[in-house]
Amino acid sequence: MTIVDAHLDLAYNVGRGRDVRQPAAQQPIAENEIATVGLPDLRAGKITLICATIFCMPRIGNKPGYTNAAEAAEQAKKQYDWYQKQWDADELKLVRSASELPQPSPETKKKGDDMFAWVREPEPPKKSAIPMLLLMEGADAMESPRDVGKWFDKGVRIMGLAWRRTRMAGGTGEPGPLTDEGRDVVKAMDQVGMIHDMSHLAEEAFWQLLEMTQKPVIASHSNCRSIVPTDRQLSDPMIRAIIERRGVIGMNFYDKFLMNPADYGKRRCELRDMIAHIQHICDLAGSAQYAALGSDMDGGLGREQIPREIETIADLHRIADALAAAGFTDVDVHAIMGENWLLFFKQNLPA
């Protein structure tokens, strides 16, 4: 089965003292979070493609973090350098263009569906290098809009302007519009063809960005506000707007973002909580074409904060079983598990 996870903070976790080249079970607990992601786990789960992030942490209270653009850029460079070492070692493989995407599952081809006829047969890999797209979460590392082109040349294909509020836009828990600098960065992204990630954008900035651009948009790791009513989730109008742009929405695995507040703290999160968000997106869209996975596993959440059926990222296939049990068709299960992302990237990455 094609399985795509559109949001994993691999290099960020290296900065937290973890060695993600090791299985999750062999990694240390970080900030009371039990690890769930390691490169061996991704291989064991036969994950087809990931979006690996560059995520720069701002200073919050007494915790270390950047305080200006130069410090954010230095964090970004260190994370990029770590990815570069993994590409050189054939641990990971950077995907820059549509032609470099991995091929979809054999099951799709057996169905006679020609939507993936564009895929060329892959060359035999030298090693089990995990294909990855590079996603920048938060744009504070852009010291000026000119840096957008430089990072695109380095391989960044997706960027979100905000995490909390940044110099570019209001974000989660810190409402606000696009700034003048943010508007210039949006224009620079459109000029080079970088995909916009709407996750974390404050609502005012979200709508302003959509007014500014007709270029591709996604939400790499966002859930439904109708179920979890906080500004970190997408409202129904926001979901519809992404769908109208033919964007894809990846489900975040954090229990706080999955569970109805009436249940949170009274039981463990379960896959049925995730299925409720997926079903809601499919109902709004009228199809399963726009729902997908963007787990954010180990991105500030650990083993105890994700659905109890998932031990590590090697267990993503269990979501397919849960979808089938909930009544989703085989075609829809394959779409949600990864083929929606593959088709989106095929259509919107450079040729």
Side-chain angles (χ1 to χ4, degrees), residues 8 20 29 37 39 43 50 57 63 78 85 95 118 123 129 151 162 166 168 191 207 231 274 285 288 307:
L8 289 173
V20 300
I29 293 174
V37 180
L39 300 188
R43 293 189 181 97
I50 63 173
M57 175 64 77
K63 291 186 176 181
K78 288 180 180 178
K85 291 177 181 177
V95 173
W118 54 274
E123 297 176 1
W151 280 101
T166 62
M168 313 299 168
Q191 186 173 7
W207 293 112
D231 73 341
M274 183 185 299

Side-chain angles (χ1 to χ4, degrees), residues 50-123:
I50 63 173
C51 293
T53 74
I54 291 176
F55 169 62
C56 304
M57 175 64 77
R59 181 173 295 176
I60 300 173
N62 295 323
K63 291 186 176 181
Y66 70 83
T67 61
N68 56 49
E71 292 173 358
E74 183 60 26
Q75 280 192 36
K77 181 182 182 300
K78 288 180 180 178
Q79 292 186 24
Y80 183 88
D81 288 347
W82 181 84
Y83 285 121
Q84 181 72 65
K85 291 177 181 177
Q86 310 320 308
W87 303 328
D88 292 344
D90 286 328
E91 294 284 354
L92 296 167
K93 176 185 176 183
L94 180 63
V95 173
R96 294 171 177 263
S97 65
S99 64
E100 295 172 326
L101 286 165
Q103 67 174 1
S105 64
E107 289 86 348
T108 300
K109 290 188 174 182
K110 289 176 185 176
K111 294 169 194 168
D113 187 343
D114 65 355
M115 67 189 294
F116 289 102
W118 54 274
V119 179
R120 60 179 171 81
E121 291 299 319
E123 297 176 1

Side-chain angles (χ1 to χ4, degrees), residues 96-348:
R96 294 171 177 263
S97 65
S99 64
E100 295 172 326
L101 286 165
Q103 67 174 1
S105 64
E107 289 86 348
T108 300
K109 290 188 174 182
K110 289 176 185 176
K111 294 169 194 168
D113 187 343
D114 65 355
M115 67 189 294
F116 289 102
W118 54 274
V119 179
R120 60 179 171 81
E121 291 299 319
E123 297 176 1
K126 298 176 183 177
K127 186 179 179 180
S128 182
I130 300 159
M132 59 163 280
L133 287 161
L134 194 54
L135 184 159
M136 187 169 284
E137 183 177 17
D140 268 349
M142 301 298 109
E143 295 184 80
S144 82
R146 291 188 299 274
D147 288 342
V148 172
K150 296 175 184 178
W151 280 101
F152 187 85
D153 290 344
K154 285 176 172 286
V156 174
R157 291 295 178 264
I158 309 163
M159 185 163 68
L161 296 180
W163 180 61
R164 294 190 179 188
R165 182 184 293 120
T166 62
R167 297 179 357 260
M168 313 299 168
T172 299
E174 297 180 341
L178 295 180
T179 64
D180 289 343
E181 191 170 6
R183 290 178 180 275
D184 289 340
V185 166
V186 170
K187 293 174 185 176
M189 291 175 66
D190 287 353
Q191 186 173 7
V192 299
M194 196 177 285
I195 296 165
H196 296 280
D197 187 355
M198 312 297 277
S199 292
H200 282 296
L201 273 180
E203 189 154 356
E204 184 177 1
F206 176 100
W207 293 112
Q208 289 176 339
L209 192 153
L210 287 183
E211 288 175 4
M212 277 194 67
T213 182
Q214 293 298 315
K215 298 296 185 178
V217 300
I218 64 169
S220 67
H221 61 310
S222 292
N223 300 343
C224 303
R225 193 180 299 179
S226 64
I227 299 173
V228 181
T230 75
D231 73 341
R232 176 60 183 85
Q233 327 309 325
L234 299 170
S235 68
D236 285 1
M238 295 165 87
I239 292 170
R240 289 192 184 98
I242 293 172
I243 290 168
E244 287 171 4
R245 296 290 184 92
R246 306 187 73 82
V248 177
I249 300 168
M251 293 295 97
N252 189 308
F253 286 25
Y254 189 20
D255 58 2
K256 266 191 174 181
F257 300 163
L258 286 173
M259 296 184 69
N260 187 302
D263 294 332
Y264 184 73
K266 298 178 182 178
R267 60 174 176 84
R268 280 289 302 277
C269 179
E270 299 176 346
L271 285 178
R272 62 187 171 99
D273 298 300
M274 183 185 299
I275 302 301
H277 289 262
I278 292 173
Q279 184 67 65
H280 186 69
I281 292 170
C282 293
D283 288 345
L284 290 176
S287 76
Q289 187 177 349
Y290 304 101
L293 307 181
S295 74
D296 203 18
M297 284 166 63
D298 285 352
L301 49 146
R303 170 68 188 87
E304 301 303 312
Q305 288 80 45
I306 62 175
R308 64 175 180 82
E309 298 93 336
I310 306 295
E311 293 277 346
T312 73
I313 201 159
D315 299 323
L316 292 190
H317 62 91
R318 294 178 181 172
I319 300 169
D321 298 333
L323 287 166
F328 285 81
T329 67
D330 286 348
V331 171
D332 288 348
V333 170
H334 282 268
I336 293 163
M337 292 300 296
E339 287 162 9
N340 286 340
W341 280 128
L342 271 190
L343 183 58
F344 175 87
F345 292 132
K346 179 263 173 179
Q347 293 172 335
N348 294 295

